[in-house]
């Protein structure tokens, strides 16, 4: 179907896309989610030191800022 041609291009910041507009859109979306931290609602924190699981978005955001340098604190995705 593709005749052996590789149509994927590798851009900066590990963005792989088929064309330049797609790469620009993906880069701007990743920048937006990184700044606004909209992805926090899809994460949970497991803190084995305190034997608890943090599920609320505001507490997950606080834990990402404060507790990630401690051992046995893990970030998982809700799937």
């Amino acid at each position: 179907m593709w005749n052996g041609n590789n149509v994927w291009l590798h851009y900066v910041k590990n963005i792989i896309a088929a064309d330049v507009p797609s790469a620009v859109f993906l880069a701007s979306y990743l920048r937006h989610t990184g700044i606004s931290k909209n992805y926090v609602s899809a994460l949970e924190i497991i803190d084995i030191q305190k034997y608890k699981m943090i599920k609320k978005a505001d507490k997950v955001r606080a834990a990402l800022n404060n507790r990630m340098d401690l051992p046995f604190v893990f970030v998982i995705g809700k799937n």
Side-chain angles (χ1 to χ4, degrees):
M1 179 174 166
W2 295 100
N3 296 328
N5 294 334
N6 189 2
V7 297
W8 296 100
L9 300 173
H10 188 87
Y11 296 96
V12 294
K13 295 187 179 181
N14 293 327
I15 294 176
I16 299 174
D19 56 355
V20 175
S22 298
V24 169
F25 173 76
L26 183 58
S28 64
Y29 179 74
L30 290 173
R31 183 175 179 273
H32 172 71
T33 56
I35 291 172
S36 63
K37 296 193 178 184
N38 290 335
Y39 59 89
V40 172
S41 62
L43 298 176
E44 294 177 342
I45 305 288
I46 297 177
D47 190 349
I48 297 177
Q49 290 182 344
K50 292 186 175 184
Y51 296 107
K52 66 184 208 177
M53 180 179 253
I54 303 169
K55 295 183 179 183
K56 294 185 179 180
D58 55 343
K59 291 186 179 185
V60 169
R61 185 175 288 117
L64 285 173
N65 291 333
N66 300 329
R67 300 198 49 85
M68 289 313 301
D69 56 343
L70 299 175
F72 303 111
V73 177
F74 304 102
V75 179
I76 60 169
K78 294 180 186 177
N79 283 336

